[in-house]
Amino acid sequence: MTSSATLPASGAPARARPAGRGSRLWVLPAVFLLGLLGVLGAAVLGQDEEPGAPLGAVATVPGGLARVNGVLPEEPDAGAPAAGSETAEDGTHRVRILLELTALEPGGVDFDAADWEVERLGGESSRALHASVQEQALAQGEALRTELLFEVPDRALELTLEGPRSARLSLGTDHHRGGGPR
């Protein structure tokens, strides 16, 4: 009697593999890789702004230069509210920014405190609560030193003072209280 069935060449029975299991093994790493590439791509493409000038360095403004000479945490007096409004909200603190402007061009520099804001990572920004000088026109060769008071979150990252025509000045991190014990 002759059998028409063929046996495997190795002599061991062939194992049945579940259909589709091997093709699913690559899905998880592929999804992870695509997600990682998406995050990295968004970070690279999302950086359309130049980084701010380091603390103490100058940035150009229309008609001249601007420089942050210091960033001081505002400590309100025990009985008196800080200049500009009542008290800082929970989770925030106030900083006093010492800004210096120098007019270099013949047209000078037109300073308006409303043109300046503090931007933080994520695109949110804070307007000045108070300024020692609200508006002033500077002629060529003149300089102005003013103090701007801002309220920023305790744990804000990458704070930048932004002015007219995308003038960007980094504020550093020395002013942070850190929001309590970690």
Side-chain angles (χ1 to χ4, degrees), residues 6-16:
T6 60
L7 296 174
S10 66
R15 289 189 136 176

Side-chain angles (χ1 to χ4, degrees), residues 104-155:
L104 298 177
E105 302 292 326
V109 173
D110 291 323
F111 171 75
D112 186 352
D115 292 341
W116 295 85
E117 62 184 17
V118 170
E119 185 180 278
R120 55 193 173 269
L121 188 64
E124 295 183 41
S125 61
S126 302
R127 292 268 180 208
L129 300 173
H130 176 74
S132 61
V133 176
Q134 288 296 322
E135 291 182 30
Q136 185 170 335
L138 302 173
Q140 184 178 20
E142 290 183 334
L144 168 70
R145 291 187 180 112
T146 185
E147 296 178 5
L148 303 170
L149 181 66
F150 292 92
E151 188 168 283
V152 296
D154 288 337
R155 296 185 185 267

Side-chain angles (χ1 to χ4, degrees), residues 65-177:
L65 300 173
R67 177 174 63 176
V68 172
N69 288 333
V71 181
L72 308 170
E74 181 73 10
E75 299 295 331
D77 294 337
S85 104
E86 299 76 43
T87 59
E89 297 178 22
D90 285 341
T92 65
H93 65 285
R94 293 196 175 158
V95 293
R96 188 168 298 276
I97 298 173
L98 308 176
L99 178 65
E100 179 180 350
L101 297 163
T102 305
L104 298 177
E105 302 292 326
V109 173
D110 291 323
F111 171 75
D112 186 352
D115 292 341
W116 295 85
E117 62 184 17
V118 170
E119 185 180 278
R120 55 193 173 269
L121 188 64
E124 295 183 41
S125 61
S126 302
R127 292 268 180 208
L129 300 173
H130 176 74
S132 61
V133 176
Q134 288 296 322
E135 291 182 30
Q136 185 170 335
L138 302 173
Q140 184 178 20
E142 290 183 334
L144 168 70
R145 291 187 180 112
T146 185
E147 296 178 5
L148 303 170
L149 181 66
F150 292 92
E151 188 168 283
V152 296
D154 288 337
R155 296 185 185 267
L157 298 174
E158 294 188 30
L159 295 177
T160 304
L161 181 65
E162 293 203 3
R165 285 206 197 139
S166 301
R168 297 175 49 82
L169 297 152
S170 176
L171 300 181
T173 58
D174 290 343
H175 59 86
H176 283 296
R177 291 190 316 214

Side-chain angles (χ1 to χ4, degrees), residues 3-89:
S3 169
S4 63
T6 60
L7 296 174
S10 66
R15 289 189 136 176
R17 204 163 106 188
R21 176 150 170 82
S23 64
R24 283 187 272 156
L25 290 177
W26 64 270
V27 172
L28 185 59
V31 168
F32 176 75
L33 184 61
L34 285 174
L36 182 62
L37 289 173
V39 168
L40 292 174
V44 169
L45 295 176
Q47 292 183 349
D48 56 343
E49 295 179 342
E50 292 183 28
L55 187 63
V58 296
T60 58
V61 293
L65 300 173
R67 177 174 63 176
V68 172
N69 288 333
V71 181
L72 308 170
E74 181 73 10
E75 299 295 331
D77 294 337
S85 104
E86 299 76 43
T87 59
E89 297 178 22

